[in-house]
């Protein structure tokens, strides 16, 4: 499928459903930790008037690498993986987005750097780039918030580079578990619980490891009493301090908004 036609084909195939719906911002599950938190009631109503709400099923493309981005989205539910295809045909997972994160990029070029695919059913609050950029011009305080978000994103990418270059397999897996458990506020009703919607192959790709190594490290952490499995896709962190020490973090990862390009 041609990248330029992707969004039109998705809509025609009803992969994006519920377009045109409005949702009450006051009842939005990510209202208190997304970009919208910075807006007063009047500004929030103005932004809501520009938004459409979409539900995307599991394992569907939202946009493809190299395609022209016509919209940007705030994730209100679900998880998305981002991956980049290199010239040699190899795929590299470059990140995972969850509730409250921004997808589509606030950048000058409208070409997607990566492909975004749903790992679970996802809900999106969507805006055309033109309307959202016009809204930003009228709300400079939100521009400052986005600048801080972008700076945090740069720091997170530096941390991931160090993770891949300098840390061993147990440290990498521990770091990812902490990030997934703590980065998205309200992602789980149970404290220190990690939901792993991605297969082990995606975890291995993201961490620069093999599938066998990821499985072996998870089993070792379980045997050491640091984690507990509750089914194949749920992990409970039993000793947060020990996992944080193993990951090599100076402090626990804090909630933040991420940007998918």
């Amino acid at each position: 499928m041609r990248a330029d036609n992707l969004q039109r084909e998705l809509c025609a195939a009803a992969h994006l459903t519920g377009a045109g719906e409005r949702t009450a911002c006051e009842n939005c599950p990510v209202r208190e930790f997304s970009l919208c938190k910075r807006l007063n009631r009047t500004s929030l109503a103005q932004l809501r008037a520009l938004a459409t709400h979409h539900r995307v099923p599991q394992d569907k493309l939202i946009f493809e690498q190299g395609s022209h981005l016509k919209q940007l989205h705030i994730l209100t539910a679900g998880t998305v993986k981002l991956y980049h295809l290199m010239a040699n045909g190899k795929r590299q997972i470059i990140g995972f987005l969850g509730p409250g994160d921004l997808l589509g990029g606030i950048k000058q070029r409208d070409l997607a750097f990566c492909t975004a695919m749903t790992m679970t059913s996802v809900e999106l609050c969507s805006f055309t780039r033109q309307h959202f950029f016009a809204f930003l011009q009228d709300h400079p305080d939100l521009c400052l918030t986005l600048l801080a978000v972008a700076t945090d994103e740069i720091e997170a990418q530096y941390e991931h580079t160090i993770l891949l270059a300098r840390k061993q397999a147990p440290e990498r897996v521990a770091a990812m578990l902490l990030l997934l458990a703590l980065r998205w506020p309200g992602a789980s009703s149970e404290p220190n619980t990690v939901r792993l919607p991605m297969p082990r192959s995606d975890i291995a790709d993201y961490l620069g490891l093999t599938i066998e190594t990821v499985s072996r490290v998870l089993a070792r952490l379980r045997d050491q009493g640091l984690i507990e499995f509750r089914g194949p896709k749920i992990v409970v962190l039993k000793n947060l301090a020990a996992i944080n020490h193993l990951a090599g973090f100076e402090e626990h990862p804090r909630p933040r908004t991420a940007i998918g390009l």
Side-chain angles (χ1 to χ4, degrees):
M1 182 184 297
R2 291 178 56 84
D4 291 344
N5 296 329
L6 180 64
Q7 186 169 349
R8 182 168 60 253
E9 294 294 331
L10 283 176
C11 292
H15 289 169
L16 293 180
T17 61
E21 295 179 5
R22 294 286 188 265
T23 184
C25 293
E26 294 78 6
N27 299 325
C28 178
V30 301
R31 169 75 174 89
E32 291 304 314
F33 52 87
S34 69
L35 296 176
C36 301
K37 181 180 180 179
R38 303 295 180 180
L39 300 176
N40 60 34
R41 180 170 296 183
T42 299
S43 297
L44 191 62
Q46 294 171 349
L47 184 63
R48 178 172 176 257
L50 302 176
T52 55
H53 189 71
H54 301 289
R55 287 183 292 274
V56 189
Q58 183 179 352
D59 297 328
K60 299 297 182 183
L61 290 172
I62 299 176
F63 56 76
E64 192 172 37
Q65 178 179 327
S67 63
H68 290 274
L69 298 171
K70 298 179 174 60
Q71 291 183 307
L72 54 89
H73 318 272
I74 296 175
L75 273 72
T76 58
T79 314
V80 170
K81 69 178 174 183
L82 307 175
Y83 62 87
H84 184 83
L85 292 176
M86 293 174 282
N88 60 7
K90 293 184 178 181
R91 185 196 72 166
Q92 176 64 51
I93 299 281
I94 61 175
F96 303 100
L97 300 183
D101 289 338
L102 189 65
L103 178 61
I106 305 296
K107 58 179 183 176
Q108 188 171 7
R109 297 182 67 210
D110 68 347
L111 291 180
F113 174 74
C114 59
T115 294
M117 175 176 284
T118 63
M119 293 188 295
T120 65
S121 176
V122 165
E123 296 189 12
L124 304 171
C125 192
S126 305
F127 311 87
T128 66
R129 283 169 55 88
Q130 179 183 0
H131 289 159
F132 193 81
F133 288 170
F135 183 83
L136 289 179
Q137 290 178 348
D138 294 332
H139 296 82
D141 53 335
L142 190 57
C143 291
L144 290 175
T145 299
L146 280 169
L147 177 61
V149 167
T151 303
D152 285 344
E153 187 75 4
I154 293 171
E155 182 179 280
Q157 294 304 316
Y158 285 158
E159 289 177 347
H160 188 64
T161 299
I162 294 172
L163 185 74
L164 297 182
R166 297 296 181 184
K167 296 190 177 183
Q168 301 301 312
E171 297 170 310
R172 298 183 195 186
V173 173
M176 180 174 179
L177 291 175
L178 277 175
L179 289 170
L180 292 176
L182 302 177
R183 197 170 76 71
W184 296 304
S188 174
S189 58
E190 299 181 70
N192 303 334
T193 298
V194 183
R195 300 189 181 275
L196 299 174
M198 69 289 291
R200 296 290 191 266
S201 58
D202 283 354
I203 297 175
D205 190 352
Y206 181 63
L207 296 178
L209 302 171
T210 65
I211 300 173
E212 294 77 14
T213 299
V214 170
S215 297
R216 186 168 58 249
V217 170
L218 287 172
R220 187 186 308 168
L221 295 178
R222 178 201 59 202
D223 295 342
Q224 292 172 343
L226 300 185
I227 65 174
E228 175 186 323
F229 290 101
R230 294 183 181 172
K233 293 186 177 294
I234 299 179
V235 178
V236 180
L237 308 188
K238 305 295 289 184
N239 190 331
L240 206 60
I243 296 173
N244 192 81
H245 179 73
L246 176 60
F249 290 137
E250 295 181 359
E251 57 184 15
H252 290 324
R254 59 184 176 83
R256 67 176 182 86
T257 300
I259 301 176
L261 304 177

